[in-house]
Amino acid sequence: MHIIYNFLFLLAGWRWGDWRNWEKYYPTILFFIVNDLLHNFLTYNHPFWNFEEITFSLPFFNHTIISLMIMFVRYPVTILIYLKYFFGTNKWRVRIFHFIFWVVLYLAVEYINLQIGLISHHNGWSMWNSVLFIIAMFIVFPNSL
């Protein structure tokens, strides 16, 4: 299922991503990936969440592989789309709508994944923590250019 999610993100990135100006977003992409790698390293023995795979349950398809796939596919595509449309307008109403859209999208994906067993929360992490984290994440993106 994670392969399908990442494929859908790639299609969205191909359609709506700002690939011509990817160099402009490269520092933000690296910031996002490095912080997630650091998070996975620091919380290796006590993770806040675990990714599971229920559709393609191959022996090598574990949390680490899924996490790397998300880092190198979903995150760059998200940034290429989000920042393109965030900075594509000077109207704050449009920016706020765009921000809310992406926060709701990420929260909906996480909630659905929780319900079908693709992700599980551990060590005190909850959906409320995810709400705060995702809001902070999308606030930081435009400021990390």
Side-chain angles (χ1 to χ4, degrees):
M1 194 69 173
H2 289 284
I3 290 174
I4 295 169
Y5 275 146
N6 282 299
F7 180 72
L8 292 173
F9 266 85
L10 274 176
L11 287 177
W14 176 72
R15 171 66 178 92
W16 293 293
D18 190 7
W19 293 98
R20 291 181 185 175
N21 298 312
W22 69 270
E23 297 95 351
K24 185 166 82 172
Y25 309 117
Y26 187 64
T28 305
I29 292 169
L30 285 181
F31 174 78
F32 199 8
I33 291 172
V34 166
N35 279 302
D36 199 24
L37 282 169
L38 182 63
H39 160 263
N40 279 297
F41 176 75
L42 293 175
T43 63
Y44 182 77
N45 292 322
H46 302 286
F48 293 129
W49 56 81
N50 266 342
F51 294 112
E52 307 290 335
E53 183 55 57
I54 57 176
T55 308
F56 304 103
S57 56
L58 302 170
F60 62 87
F61 210 61
N62 56 22
H63 169 79
T64 303
I65 299 300
I66 295 168
S67 189
L68 288 170
M69 188 171 55
I70 290 169
M71 279 182 232
F72 293 109
V73 174
R74 198 178 304 176
Y75 294 167
V77 166
T78 296
I79 291 166
L80 288 172
I81 298 172
Y82 178 72
L83 292 180
K84 173 186 177 183
Y85 289 101
F86 187 85
F87 289 121
T89 182
N90 289 330
K91 298 179 182 175
W92 279 101
R93 244 185 282 158
V94 175
R95 286 184 175 186
I96 290 169
F97 171 79
H98 190 63
F99 168 79
I100 291 170
F101 170 80
W102 278 94
V103 168
V104 169
L105 176 68
Y106 260 63
L107 289 172
V109 168
E110 182 163 343
Y111 181 77
I112 291 167
N113 287 343
L114 270 171
Q115 299 306 310
I116 62 177
L118 290 175
I119 190 172
S120 57
H121 290 158
H122 303 281
N123 296 310
W125 193 264
S126 70
M127 199 62 197
W128 289 112
N129 296 107
S130 292
V131 168
L132 296 173
F133 177 76
I134 290 170
I135 288 171
M137 182 176 74
F138 282 103
I139 288 172
V140 168
F141 283 165
N143 297 312
S144 62
L145 281 178

